[in-house]
Amino acid sequence: QITGQSTIFLGNAISHPGDRRSLLKKVDVPTLVVHGTNDPILPYPHGVALAETIPGATLHTLEGVGHDFDERHFDDVTQRLLALQNTVG
């Protein structure tokens, strides 16, 4: 369920399409991009490009996974997020 600020962000992103790479290049926090190789909505090259555009981002590829990942990936992704969190002062 999407609520609050996420709804506003998502609505703005959808209603104002465009190239955001210049903004992504300004991201200055540790970033984990999680992307499935079989995503029919945003094909895998989009995830690769996202990770390459955000300075210092790490790409975690989920082989054979579509746009949504299921419970079998929860522990792995959670551990990666916790590890990333531990890199922040």
Side-chain angles (χ1 to χ4, degrees), residues 19-34:
D19 188 342
R20 293 181 175 83
R21 284 176 286 190
S22 63
L23 295 173
L24 292 171
K25 291 177 183 179
K26 296 177 183 179
V27 172
D28 64 353
V29 295
T31 303
L32 176 66
V33 176
V34 179

Side-chain angles (χ1 to χ4, degrees), residues 34-79:
V34 179
H35 207 101
T37 58
N38 291 347
D39 189 332
I41 298 171
L42 292 169
Y44 182 68
H46 287 257
V48 173
L50 181 64
E52 289 175 349
T53 303
I54 298 172
T58 301
L59 174 64
H60 178 53
T61 300
L62 299 176
E63 293 292 336
V65 174
H67 193 70
D68 296 314
F69 61 93
D70 58 42
E71 291 181 14
R72 64 190 158 122
H73 299 287
F74 287 0
D75 287 341
D76 178 43
V77 171
T78 299
Q79 291 306 311

